[in-house]
Amino acid sequence: MRTVLVTGPGGAGRTTLAAATALAAARKGARALLLTTESSAPETVLGTSLGAEAPTPIAPGLHARRIDPGDRFRQEFLAFQERAGAALDLLGAAPLDEDELTELPGSEDFALLQALRAEHTSDAWDTVVVDMPSAAETIRLLALPNQVRRYLRRLLPPERQAARALRPVLAQLAGVPMPAQKLYEAAQRWETELSAVQRVIDDPGTSVRLVTEAGPVAAANLRAIRAGLALHGRRTDGVVVNRLLPTGSADPFLAALSGSQQTALKALREEFPDVPVHEVPHLGRDPQGVDELDALIDGPAGGTGDTGETGDHDRHGETAGRRPDPWTVEDRLATDGLLVWRVPLPGAERRGLGLVRRGDEIVVTVGRFRRIRTLPSVLRRCTVSGAGLRDGVLEIRFSPDPDLWPKSD
């Protein structure tokens, strides 16, 4: 299955182009679904109201679904409250009723990820297009499952459950289920759910598509976004440049605007030499309804509909199941006495890079984005001896630690 995550700076038209991308896939014969957390904008673009319980038919082959984070939050909170009922009773806590629950910050992120996982495993779709939040929020959202799993492993290490066989006895003595057991059971459920979400994000068929307008700072903005996506191993499959004016206008004002856009478009192509840059014309109005979305797909500068169903995985060296880890270890022991961990970071700049080793982990910072990775086993027996950024690749150099490295006779 193909999953396209559409994002970009706020106001660039990502909701409209996410809908156009999903429609284009349906026009090519795919069973396509558009997922969104927005309320009014997608309904205006599609020309129909959307349901939150089930996907709404939009056009032949195309369905759309609006995710309700408030409903998802209430369901999850009530389920947790029921499971923890005995512990709450022990504490004398009063349970909350459904009608007094309102979602907390971050609920929308979890609701979107859960909906994506559910639709991905339903086998009902060939293509799922997701109307994601703004680009910086999208990077944090896609990093969320791994980050939460790391927190769970640190706070509730699985190996600490060695005495779980004694818990039923302790529970009988106390007269209530032991909270520690419930806590580990809840952590295991979260781990299972988060692992399933992570598999969808890491699937070879999942990619990110950036939407932007052709402005003077577009290339610089997308450079930072692309570096953040690359830091977390997310693949950018294309850049869609929206609302392009026609060239050659006799009106001096329109000609100047168009010339500025063409300059920005050239800068974007130079910034993304290895990524397709699609041009989408300005219709002179905000598209409303399927017919006007078709105009975006079929226009003279169209291209939003390329969802990469044909051979896209092979071009990127990907195989069925899981995308290869882009962070690779290069063995230079024979020549330089080093091992080099190569981290692809297209768009990254030296001034925004940070690198810290903490035990068996390494913390890499690119601008405002950060990722923590566990060192491969061979690198845990080494010390960091330097790092450098060259041609969009961060090379972290490791020297074998004489006290830890195996000694030959």
Side-chain angles (χ1 to χ4, degrees), residues 166-178 181:
L166 297 176
R167 292 201 177 105
V169 177
L170 297 175
Q172 289 180 359
L173 293 174
V176 295
M178 297 299 292
Q181 181 179 354

Side-chain angles (χ1 to χ4, degrees), residues 210 212-214 239-244 265 268 277-280:
L210 298 175
T212 185
E213 289 190 294
V239 176
V240 183
V241 187
N242 196 18
R243 303 186 183 118
L244 285 172
L265 182 61
L268 283 168
V277 177
H278 306 290
E279 302 175 31
V280 177

